[in-house]
Amino acid sequence: MKIPEKPRTTAIRLNSYIADCGVTSRRKADELIQQGRVMVNNKVITSMGYKINSFKDKVFVDGERINLSQPVYYLLNKPKGYVSTVSDDKGRPTVIELIRTHIKIFPVGRLDYDTTGVLLLTNNGDFNQAMTHPSNNIKREYDVKLDKILSQDDEEKLLKGVFIEGGRGTFLTVTYPTNNKKAPTVVSSEGRNHFVKNMFKALGYTVTALHRRSFGFLTVKDLPEGSYRELTQRELKLVNRILNNKR
Ligand code: URA
């Protein structure tokens, strides 16, 4: 994973700087400036065409410091009823709406509209690529609810390999933490869309609820549904270490 380097210093128009930080378009940045929502250092700036020094000056939008290329990483406990995209042509709520930030972020991989649990969001394309690339084998753990009891035979098939759209898929483990054969927990290192549902569907089961309990070592154990937090520096170091070891 490559953390972006510091940008070059320049005198830059305030509206361009806000747009380059990924907050919004240049035109909308002008509106923010006019509305008195932008501060440079300790001063509200409302004049159009104002220039800043991108190394020295500190810029705030609605009180939040913004930076060029500042990478951000969020861990969300996704609730049901949100799509894991930046926008939705059907007008459904998106996970982006759950995160209060001016920085343009996107989800790392996808969870279905009705799936809950661990979802990472970032503005760092390298991080996204590293976490989702199949060669990195990042494990995902899912709590599943099925419409019927999972038979021993089918459990074995899921571990050996099942043919689904896009090719053969396998679960690495299938366990029953609550001793309920309708509620297995499965682990896979697959990121294909609808992977878990398609695996069960191939054997005639319907997934009635799905929760991603973990993604690598990241869990939402202490995060209520709909809440999020930034990844800690320690977590980011660990992610980096894991990914570097895999190279
Ligand atoms: N597999 C699915 O079927 N759905 C998800 O949301 C995640 C994994």
Side-chain angles (χ1 to χ4, degrees):
M1 185 172 59
K2 245 181 21 219
I3 301 292
E5 288 168 16
K6 276 239 178 257
R8 279 178 302 130
T9 180
T10 47
I12 180 172
R13 279 175 72 124
L14 184 55
N15 62 350
S16 301
Y17 181 82
I18 294 170
D20 289 353
C21 287
V23 175
T24 186
S25 66
R26 230 182 296 169
R27 193 178 53 74
K28 291 242 171 75
D30 279 335
E31 287 171 21
L32 293 176
I33 294 167
Q34 270 170 345
Q35 289 161 4
R37 292 165 64 184
V38 178
M39 269 174 49
V40 177
N41 304 319
N42 292 323
K43 220 170 122 205
V44 174
I45 302 295
T46 50
S47 56
M48 296 293 111
Y50 189 87
K51 280 195 175 160
I52 63 151
N53 178 316
S54 61
F55 256 17
K56 283 203 199 131
D57 292 323
K58 297 188 177 81
V59 179
F60 301 81
V61 175
D62 290 339
E64 190 191 344
R65 174 90 191 269
I66 59 165
N67 274 305
L68 284 175
S69 306
Q70 169 198 345
V72 290
Y73 309 92
Y74 295 101
L75 171 63
L76 168 72
N77 186 351
K78 180 191 170 296
K80 278 186 185 180
Y82 287 81
V83 287
S84 302
T85 47
V86 173
S87 63
D88 184 53
D89 45 16
K90 292 188 195 141
R92 292 172 297 181
T94 75
V95 288
I96 305 295
E97 293 164 27
L98 295 167
I99 313 278
R100 278 173 60 89
T101 178
H102 281 298
I103 297 172
K104 247 185 213 154
I105 52 170
F106 53 85
V108 174
R110 279 191 185 191
L111 287 182
D112 293 335
Y113 186 69
D114 56 352
T115 299
T116 58
V118 179
L119 186 67
L120 295 169
L121 298 107
T122 186
N123 58 345
N124 182 346
D126 291 333
F127 177 76
N128 177 50
Q129 168 78 1
M131 295 301 279
T132 54
H133 199 278
S135 65
N136 281 330
N137 283 317
I138 308 269
K139 292 196 176 68
R140 290 99 159 141
E141 189 180 18
Y142 295 94
D143 293 331
V144 185
K145 291 215 171 84
L146 296 172
D147 59 334
K148 58 188 177 200
I149 283 171
L150 181 62
S151 74
Q152 183 69 33
D153 258 15
D154 288 336
E155 181 188 314
E156 280 163 24
K157 284 182 194 155
L158 292 167
L159 293 167
K160 278 194 193 131
V162 169
F163 283 92
I164 59 169
E165 206 185 305
R168 187 169 159 271
T170 53
F171 289 147
L172 302 171
T173 61
V174 178
T175 54
Y176 304 92
T178 58
N179 285 326
N180 179 352
K181 292 273 176 183
K182 277 168 96 172
T185 291
V186 300
V187 174
S188 88
S189 54
E190 279 267 5
R192 274 185 272 170
N193 286 346
H194 316 305
F195 179 72
V196 175
K197 289 179 187 166
N198 286 344
M199 288 285 285
F200 283 104
K201 191 172 160 201
L203 299 177
Y205 298 81
T206 301
V207 171
T208 57
L210 190 58
H211 174 78
R212 183 151 71 187
R213 183 199 278 251
S214 65
F215 189 102
F217 65 89
L218 297 164
T219 74
V220 286
K221 225 174 25 188
D222 302 319
L223 269 181
E225 242 176 69
S227 307
Y228 67 92
R229 64 172 175 82
E230 286 200 55
L231 292 193
T232 62
Q233 285 305 315
R234 208 169 145 263
E235 286 170 331
L236 282 171
K237 264 196 197 144
L238 215 54
V239 170
N240 258 322
R241 203 178 313 150
I242 293 165
L243 295 172
N244 288 335
N245 282 345
K246 292 196 174 191
R247 291 227 165 96

